[in-house]
Amino acid sequence: MAYTVPKLTDYSAAALDRASAELLAALEQDVRKLLFDSGKRSSSHEAAWKLRWEEWKSFRDKWISRKSGVLTQINDVWLKGSPKEAKRPAGQLVNDLRKRVEEEVARAEASLTRSEEEDQRASPGQSFASMDDALRTLEGVDITLPGARRPIGAEHPVMRTMHEIVGVFQRLGYSVAEGPVVETDYYNFEALNFPPDHPARDTQDTLFIAGQQSKPQRERLLLRTHTSPVQIRTMEKMRPPLRIVIPGTVHRNDPPDASHSPMFHQIEGLAVDTNITFGDLKGTLDHAMKALFGSSVKTHFRPSFFPFTEPSAEVFVSCFLCGGSGKRGADPCRPCKQSGWIEVLGCGMVDPNVFEFVKDNGYDPKKVSGFAFGMGVDRLALLKYGVDDLQYFFQGDVRFLQQFG
Ligand code: DAH
């Protein structure tokens, strides 16, 4: 491969292209020869290994050796030797070629190393005569240096809280279900007993996907505003009895601030069977809250409204930060606003109207009953880790996240 770097007299774009193409063609030929020849030889023989690496070294030196490699030559001859007005295109060309050549050399090395590893696997112990040999041939790699330390990640505090909550229900025998974030109006609203134009829809500032007006309302796409649609999706797929928890992200058109985010996390729960009562709901959630916040917390159920449950309730736990006193030492307890109670979730008995939508899959409201609940994970993570601004969770600032490592 008698490629020599030519002198350039013509620095026109066409001439530079030609020079570049010739150089790259020579490079390609060299790479092919190197890889092909080394593949052809019976590689289990020690001498063949050495030869292979000798060839590799001369290939490498020819192209990138600092003293006289092709890269150095084009820098000296094409760039330094160029007239003033051609410095810019010549510089660009030399830079581009440098990148290309270095990449090719690295690639050739990687593929030689790979085939060597393969051969070693095929005939272990037959390659280098000694460790010294191996070290010498791998010149440039100082294996006595400490290895690159790979930073170990940690679970994000929101995910950690989510897994913890899901775990509590899994230990009660619940399975985990998931569903799509881009949802239809039908699953997000209609089948959850939000009739079209019902004002309850307004409480969930919905982000709609654009350009859906030509579809019937129930097929229009939106970003799910809660994890409740997965209740319906799961009941369509699985017959009762059912016990599921549904973790996931939801979106609402809320501008970000210390306690709001357009994307946040919820965990939904659903239990359906014969004879499920409000007592089961209370007992289950009381147990779950004690498992999450400590056995001394109390729970408190207050009547509420959700279209998909009847009756519905909001659940409060006694403040696990101030023990329910509303005070921390002499100071007022801010997270519970001095009330001693923290609202943690919404729940209720599944509305018979919801079962009507999945009746054909065994959910006859005359035969089965169930309870459902839904909670926001991010706010619980805030309280649990004493973080005072929700935005920290979503900014990806390693200085913040490292504290949870
Ligand atoms: N989906 C409700 C929300 O996002 C939360 C909720 C309340 C879920 C009551 C439930 C439930 O399953 O029964 O505000």
Side-chain angles (χ1 to χ4, degrees):
M1 247 44 53
Y3 175 75
T4 46
V5 174
K7 284 223 160 52
L8 289 182
T9 44
D10 180 359
Y11 278 87
S12 68
L16 290 181
D17 278 354
R18 222 176 305 121
S20 158
E22 274 167 23
L23 181 148
L24 290 173
L27 174 66
E28 194 192 325
Q29 223 170 356
D30 273 11
V31 170
R32 271 216 207 127
K33 182 163 189 307
L34 180 74
L35 298 182
F36 179 73
D37 282 358
S38 67
K40 223 168 40 181
R41 265 192 305 274
S42 143
S43 52
S44 55
H45 197 271
E46 188 195 319
W49 285 110
K50 290 195 174 160
L51 188 54
R52 183 185 285 194
W53 285 102
E54 286 311 318
E55 281 173 357
W56 150 251
K57 274 194 290 185
S58 58
F59 161 75
R60 183 195 57 191
D61 293 345
K62 170 175 170 185
W63 287 93
I64 63 173
S65 116
R66 226 162 262 241
K67 232 164 71 198
S68 57
V70 172
L71 285 184
T72 304
Q73 290 181 48
I74 60 174
N75 196 53
D76 291 346
V77 180
W78 293 358
L79 180 57
K80 289 189 189 151
S82 63
K84 211 166 154 210
E85 62 282 4
K87 286 274 184 252
R88 193 179 256 267
Q92 183 70 43
L93 179 74
V94 168
N95 273 344
D96 290 350
L97 287 172
R98 172 180 304 283
K99 232 176 111 203
R100 245 330 262 292
V101 170
E102 284 173 351
E103 272 169 16
E104 286 300 332
V105 171
R107 215 193 330 247
E109 182 182 27
S111 86
L112 277 180
T113 315
R114 219 172 21 249
S115 57
E116 182 175 310
E117 278 166 5
E118 281 157 12
D119 291 343
Q120 293 236 23
R121 242 175 281 130
S123 53
Q126 287 221 0
S127 56
F128 295 107
S130 67
M131 196 60 192
D132 277 355
D133 260 6
L135 287 184
R136 236 176 291 128
T137 46
L138 283 172
E139 243 173 62
V141 179
D142 183 351
I143 63 160
T144 63
L145 285 174
R149 195 173 291 240
R150 202 178 289 183
I152 296 175
E155 212 172 20
H156 189 282
V158 173
M159 288 302 133
R160 195 188 288 179
T161 308
M162 189 126 125
H163 286 143
E164 215 173 291
I165 300 170
V166 167
V168 166
F169 287 96
Q170 280 183 309
R171 287 188 283 280
L172 287 174
Y174 284 59
S175 312
V176 178
E178 286 182 296
V181 175
V182 179
E183 194 44 285
T184 59
D185 185 281
Y186 175 78
Y187 287 108
N188 197 76
F189 291 125
E190 189 180 333
L192 289 166
N193 199 31
F194 290 79
D197 305 321
H198 193 279
R201 291 181 174 223
D202 295 347
T203 63
Q204 308 205 345
D205 283 318
T206 311
L207 291 160
F208 295 95
I209 307 286
Q212 304 283 302
Q213 287 79 355
S214 60
K215 293 184 184 168
Q217 176 158 14
R218 56 165 53 184
E219 287 170 28
R220 291 183 200 165
L221 297 173
L222 44 81
L223 295 182
R224 69 175 178 198
T225 56
H226 50 179
T227 40
S228 308
V230 190
Q231 290 189 27
I232 309 293
R233 287 185 174 277
T234 311
M235 286 192 284
E236 284 178 350
K237 283 198 292 245
M238 297 165 74
R239 300 175 69 83
L242 190 68
R243 278 158 183 74
I244 48 164
V245 272
I246 305 153
T249 53
V250 303
H251 292 77
R252 294 194 193 174
N253 188 16
D254 288 326
D257 65 22
S259 55
H260 293 84
S261 161
M263 186 284 296
F264 57 104
H265 300 80
Q266 285 192 338
I267 293 179
E268 188 86 11
L270 174 68
V272 184
D273 207 332
T274 47
N275 300 319
I276 295 240
T277 67
F278 201 88
D280 296 321
L281 168 61
K282 286 187 83 171
T284 304
L285 291 180
D286 186 70
H287 165 83
M289 295 305 120
K290 287 182 163 66
L292 286 171
F293 301 114
S295 55
S296 59
V297 300
K298 296 194 183 79
T299 52
H300 171 68
F301 289 67
R302 244 180 240 179
S304 183
F305 171 79
F306 300 101
F308 39 93
T309 44
E310 179 61 32
S312 305
E314 271 155 13
V315 179
F316 292 73
V317 292
S318 54
C319 180
F320 43 86
L321 299 165
C322 67
S325 67
K327 280 207 154 77
R328 282 206 268 182
D331 298 328
C333 181
R334 282 215 292 155
C336 70
K337 303 195 189 89
Q338 302 181 63
S339 71
W341 294 97
I342 291 180
E343 188 188 338
V344 280
L345 54 85
C347 65
M349 301 305 290
V350 178
D351 193 303
N353 289 348
V354 171
F355 284 140
E356 286 294 336
F357 286 93
V358 285
K359 196 172 176 175
D360 291 347
N361 202 28
Y363 293 89
D364 182 346
K366 292 202 193 66
K367 295 194 182 128
V368 295
S369 57
F371 63 75
F373 56 87
M375 62 186 109
V377 182
D378 315 75
R379 205 172 61 90
L380 293 179
L382 282 184
L383 292 168
K384 205 172 140 78
Y385 294 105
V387 175
D388 58 13
D389 192 323
L390 184 58
Q391 298 309 314
Y392 286 127
F393 283 154
F394 305 125
Q395 287 164 343
D397 187 329
V398 173
R399 290 167 303 176
F400 170 74
L401 295 170
Q402 254 166 358
Q403 302 175 82
F404 304 93

